[in-house]
Amino acid sequence: MSEGGRRAAGPLRLGVLVSGTGTTLLAIDEAVRRGSLNARIALVATDRPSCPGAKHAEDRGLPLEPLPVPKTLPPGEWERRLSAALERERVELVVLAGYLRVVPEEFLGRWEGRVINIHPSLLPKFAGPGMYGKHVHAAVLASGDPETGATVHVVTPEVDRGPVLAQERWPVRPGETADQLSERQKPLEHALVVSVLSRFAEGSLALPYRVPTARA
Ligand code: GRF
């Protein structure tokens, strides 16, 4: 795997991790198919093999790695298996696309600057362990904030605190429910994540992304 920038030719090899409905995966695949994203989905991995996202991968003929999580699995073993599958498929960039496990430090050490996430709020607001999906939207609505948005960021060991790559904002509509907000903003999130992937694919964002070291 090359260090310090993308090689000139060939589609960006993506690993997409899903645990849920998989609409982000669909959006990435659509962008690849219509030729607006120079990438290849080299692997879809899931901790929930029966989730709709895994079904979408199967239906579309995408290479699926079902990785269930038996209770007897030693700590870290699941991520070691994931890492081996990603390496086998020569994945360059890992996208957390509605993936619900916290990514452990050991895995991030191996994949530093090569894992991104889309979070459905204006980070650093509404962030951290337990803040995902509907929980985020419910918290946004409860806060009375007039606007919300989404953030694509590099994943680092501190949950939802990695460098921001792109952020977009839009208004909250009066009387809107968390479900309505979630549905309304998903296409906006999809466009945002695809735009960031394009920057990596074209080389305007280098791989691995250089995560600034914290100042003492
Ligand atoms: C999105 O809302 C995204 O912001 C968050 O998880 C959700 C994924 O949805 N990280 P889907 O499973 O891709 O439909």
Side-chain angles (χ1 to χ4, degrees):
M1 197 175 291
S2 69
E3 291 290 314
R6 287 253 310 125
R7 70 275 182 282
L12 173 66
R13 295 183 69 82
L14 297 174
V16 184
L17 271 51
V18 298
S19 304
T21 52
T23 62
T24 311
L25 170 67
L26 290 178
I28 296 169
D29 190 43
E30 284 302 318
V32 170
R33 281 168 199 254
R34 65 172 181 263
S36 56
L37 173 61
N38 182 23
R40 180 189 183 102
I41 300 179
L43 192 77
V44 178
T46 183
D47 56 328
R48 298 186 184 183
S50 57
C51 74
K55 176 84 169 55
H56 289 319
E58 271 174 355
D59 291 348
R60 290 178 168 238
L62 297 170
L64 176 66
E65 188 83 15
L67 288 169
V69 196
K71 285 202 171 67
T72 50
L73 210 60
E77 179 55 24
W78 191 88
E79 284 76 16
R80 281 190 280 280
R81 289 180 188 178
L82 171 63
S83 213
L86 294 168
E87 280 173 17
R88 186 190 70 219
E89 301 302 334
R90 292 175 290 114
V91 164
E92 296 169 277
L93 180 63
V94 178
V95 186
L96 308 188
Y99 171 72
L100 293 178
R101 287 168 71 84
V102 172
V103 186
E105 209 161 340
E106 186 192 332
F107 179 88
L108 291 174
R110 163 64 187 85
W111 293 92
E112 187 174 294
R114 292 185 183 274
V115 185
I116 66 168
N117 180 46
I118 171 105
H119 186 83
S121 78
L122 292 169
L123 290 178
K125 288 181 138 187
F126 309 106
M131 267 296 170
Y132 60 88
K134 300 281 166 56
H135 303 288
V136 175
H137 301 300
V140 169
L141 295 177
S143 75
D145 282 2
E147 61 173 13
T148 186
T151 309
V152 178
H153 66 95
V154 179
V155 178
T156 58
E158 254 191 306
V159 176
D160 297 331
R161 298 295 295 274
V164 170
L165 301 173
Q167 189 168 65
E168 275 206 32
R169 55 189 66 229
W170 39 80
V172 171
R173 290 185 184 158
E176 196 166 36
T177 65
D179 280 340
Q180 288 166 335
L181 177 55
S182 168
E183 285 313 303
R184 180 165 65 83
Q185 78 171 45
K186 276 213 176 170
L188 304 165
E189 292 181 21
H190 298 160
L192 192 66
V193 78
V194 168
S195 74
V196 169
L197 292 177
S198 295
R199 286 159 67 199
F200 279 113
E202 289 154 9
S204 59
L205 280 173
L207 276 171
Y209 184 89
R210 297 283 173 209
V211 177
T213 44
R215 269 178 279 163

